[in-house]
Amino acid sequence: MTICCSGNSGSHDLIWYDHSSITSITKDPDRPEEFVRVSIGISAQVFYISKKSDDYFSLIEKATRSLKESRSYDIGIENKTNIIREIREFR
């Protein structure tokens, strides 16, 4: 089940998907050098992790852990871009 709520974190306007699991990680077919395509939840909503992000390695590590271990996280998506900016342990 994906639960969404609004919130702010730092300079980003984020929409949060609480207690969510990653169900797929693939290369973005349109821009593989810039993005990784990530699906969240049973409804397979598609979001992206930017390879140019300062947090890329941390984000991809947590996303991979979620996929392999069915581990749930709170996932912050930047408003209007579909780019994952934060993945953190849920509260």
Side-chain angles (χ1 to χ4, degrees), residues 20-91:
S20 298
S21 296
I22 305 294
T23 56
S24 171
I25 300 173
T26 59
K27 292 180 183 178
D28 182 55
D30 299 324
R31 295 180 287 175
E33 67 285 342
E34 291 184 48
F35 294 102
V36 174
R37 186 180 284 187
V38 176
S39 298
I40 298 175
I42 200 163
S43 63
Q45 298 176 27
V46 175
F47 300 100
Y48 302 90
I49 296 176
S50 173
K51 291 183 176 182
K52 296 179 181 180
S53 168
D54 292 339
D55 296 332
Y56 172 74
F57 291 107
S58 174
L59 293 172
I60 201 69
E61 178 184 352
K62 289 176 184 175
T64 301
R65 187 177 307 138
S66 178
L67 176 65
K68 289 182 178 179
E69 300 173 7
S70 298
R71 193 171 190 171
S72 296
Y73 288 96
D74 290 345
I75 303 171
I77 310 297
E78 187 175 41
N79 196 17
K80 299 180 184 174
T81 66
N82 282 353
I83 296 176
I84 296 172
R85 295 292 181 188
E86 287 188 50
I87 299 176
R88 64 183 184 201
E89 300 287 331
F90 59 84
R91 302 178 196 186

Side-chain angles (χ1 to χ4, degrees), residues 5-23:
C5 61
S6 297
N8 291 327
S9 177
S11 61
H12 302 292
D13 283 331
L14 300 179
I15 297 176
W16 288 95
Y17 289 79
D18 296 332
H19 304 259
S20 298
S21 296
I22 305 294
T23 56

